[in-house]
Amino acid sequence: MDDRRVLWVTGGGSGMGAAAARSAAAAGWRVVVSGRRPDVLEETAAAIGPAASALPVDVRDVGAVAAARAEVLERHGRLDGLVLAAGANTPRRRWADQDVATFHDVVATNLGAVATVLDAALPDLRRSAGVVVVVSSVAGWAHRDGAGVAYSASKTALGALVRTLNAEEARHGVRACHLCPGDVATDFLDLRPEVPDAAARARMLTPDDVAATIQHVLDAPAHVRVDELVITPVV
């Protein structure tokens, strides 16, 4: 019987999620990558190899998330960890130019979907004394001008969500980390009102930098909880 730990990664098709999936698979985890783009997920899983599989899901959809969680258990019989890396923002992000419908869309992805996946997976994490990494943002740790109203509010709320999870589920051995990366050179930067050029991106963190930090949390002994981590580029 395969006794390798199982990790479910949302936002796993690209960027930090894909890098975290690659790192975990290399460290001996079986990995399920989820997101809304089946073709990208399949490419990511194929590049990782037999330890990974793709599971398309819109994490904003409560019913779809419940079905996806059931599929993870059908495939692997267990769930030991989550990396929640799905995120959204918009170029129109200030009070002066945002629209309320888009505000709610961003919050639904950055906050609501995280709660939805956690709620669905929590019975499994209790059984496995599992570990969770919620990929937030440095804007969820301290104010960053330009991050946006909806993005900043939703990422800040993730800190409270992680703290409540740790306070209430520690008795089951569940551990969660609020991970707050600074600027990371991914396609997500294309959503900024002013898109950074190649020189600016070269000074940023890479997805692999963030993945190494995630792996540190995943590999921590069961009695060690990393409540919050902030990782930023030096310049």
Side-chain angles (χ1 to χ4, degrees), residues 125-137:
L125 297 173
R126 287 171 177 151
R127 283 190 290 271
S128 64
V131 59
V132 178
V133 181
V134 175
V135 181
S136 181
S137 167

Side-chain angles (χ1 to χ4, degrees), residues 31-148:
V31 179
V32 179
V33 289
S34 284
R36 287 184 288 172
R37 297 178 293 171
D39 54 339
V40 174
L41 294 171
E42 292 291 351
E43 290 174 7
T44 298
I48 292 172
S53 62
L55 179 57
V57 63
D58 183 345
V59 289
R60 300 170 302 179
D61 184 325
V62 175
V65 167
R69 172 256 180 180
E71 178 62 23
V72 172
L73 294 183
E74 177 68 22
R75 293 180 187 183
H76 299 297
R78 60 189 291 177
L79 178 60
D80 303 271
L82 295 175
V83 172
L84 304 175
N89 207 346
T90 172
R92 297 175 56 191
R93 55 182 65 178
R94 295 184 176 274
W95 284 107
D97 67 356
Q98 71 171 355
D99 66 271
V100 172
T102 302
F103 175 97
H104 286 293
D105 286 342
V106 171
V107 173
T109 298
N110 293 350
L111 177 60
V114 171
T116 296
V117 177
L118 280 170
D119 185 74
L122 192 52
D124 313 306
L125 297 173
R126 287 171 177 151
R127 283 190 290 271
S128 64
V131 59
V132 178
V133 181
V134 175
V135 181
S136 181
S137 167
V138 70
W141 176 69
H143 176 70
R144 289 294 185 271
D145 189 43

Side-chain angles (χ1 to χ4, degrees), residues 190-209:
D190 295 338
L191 293 172
R192 289 189 175 180
E194 296 181 3
V195 177
D197 60 18
R201 294 178 191 231
R203 296 189 294 270
M204 297 178 181
L205 301 172
T206 69
D208 287 337
D209 293 330

Side-chain angles (χ1 to χ4, degrees), residues 12-33:
S14 61
M16 292 179 283
R22 291 192 297 269
S23 175
W29 292 70
R30 290 180 290 170
V31 179
V32 179
V33 289

Side-chain angles (χ1 to χ4, degrees), residues 5-8 10 29 79-85 114-115 117-119 121-122 124-126 128-135 158 161-162 165-166 169 173-179 213-214 216-220 224-229:
R5 291 179 294 174
V6 175
L7 181 69
W8 186 12
T10 66
W29 292 70
L79 178 60
D80 303 271
L82 295 175
V83 172
L84 304 175
V114 171
V117 177
L118 280 170
D119 185 74
L122 192 52
D124 313 306
L125 297 173
R126 287 171 177 151
S128 64
V131 59
V132 178
V133 181
V134 175
V135 181
L158 290 176
L161 187 146
V162 168
L165 184 68
N166 282 335
E169 296 299 329
V174 176
R175 299 161 291 143
C177 177
H178 181 225
L179 178 60
T213 305
I214 292 170
H216 170 73
V217 177
L218 295 177
D219 289 341
V224 174
R225 185 176 73 204
V226 183
D227 293 78
E228 186 171 65
L229 273 175

